[in-house]
Amino acid sequence: LTLAEVGCGRGGGARFLHAHHRPSQLTAMDASIAQLSIAESTRPEAGTGACLEGLSFVRASFGERLPLTNGSVDVLISVEAMHNDPRSWPAFYEEAARVLRPGGAFAFADFRWALHLDP
C-alpha cells in the first residue's frame, strides 16, 4: 500500500496513517518548511520500536506538480489544507488523477468560506 498526504502540517495525520495502515511508502507533503521541520523533529528514532519506516516528509505545494510519479499512489489524502487557496483546487484535482494508480482512492475534505464562493 502506497499513501500520500498533501498538506501534512506537523505530521500528526501522517504518523496516524502509518501506525494504522502500515503502508510500504507514505509521502507526507506540505508547502511550509517550518511545519515540515516540526514533523521531522517529532519523528521517532530508528530502533525505538516506533520507527516510521517508509515515511518521508517532502516540501510540495498544491499549485505545483507533486513530486510523485504517474500512477504511483494507492491512496491520496488531503484534509483541511487547501481552504486558503481555492483557486488551486482544479490543478490539484488534475494532479490527484495523475499520481493515483487505476482504482486508487482520493480522500479530500475541506471547506470554503462564503466569501470565496462563486456567485
Side-chain angles (χ1 to χ4, degrees):
L1 179 66
T2 302
L3 300 176
E5 180 186 17
V6 181
C8 70
R10 294 185 253 175
R15 286 189 292 277
F16 178 88
L17 289 167
H18 192 282
H20 293 279
H21 297 285
R22 300 288 184 202
S24 58
Q25 177 64 39
L26 195 164
T27 305
M29 297 165 273
D30 203 274
S32 169
I33 293 170
Q35 294 283 50
L36 292 170
S37 178
I38 293 168
E40 281 290 350
S41 71
T42 58
R43 173 197 291 274
E45 295 295 323
T48 64
C51 181
L52 302 177
E53 298 291 332
L55 172 60
S56 57
F57 292 103
V58 178
R59 194 219 164 269
S61 180
F62 294 107
E64 303 169 356
R65 184 175 174 91
L66 297 176
L68 302 166
T69 58
N70 296 355
S72 63
V73 176
D74 294 307
V75 179
L76 179 65
I77 298 167
S78 180
V79 178
E80 294 184 356
M82 294 184 60
H83 49 272
N84 290 321
D85 189 12
R87 291 179 306 269
S88 67
W89 290 19
F92 178 58
Y93 297 149
E94 289 180 19
E95 275 298 280
R98 181 185 68 79
V99 303
L100 282 169
R101 289 192 173 122
F106 179 39
F108 176 78
D110 218 312
F111 58 89
R112 288 182 78 171
W113 298 103
L115 281 176
H116 296 164
L117 295 176
D118 295 328

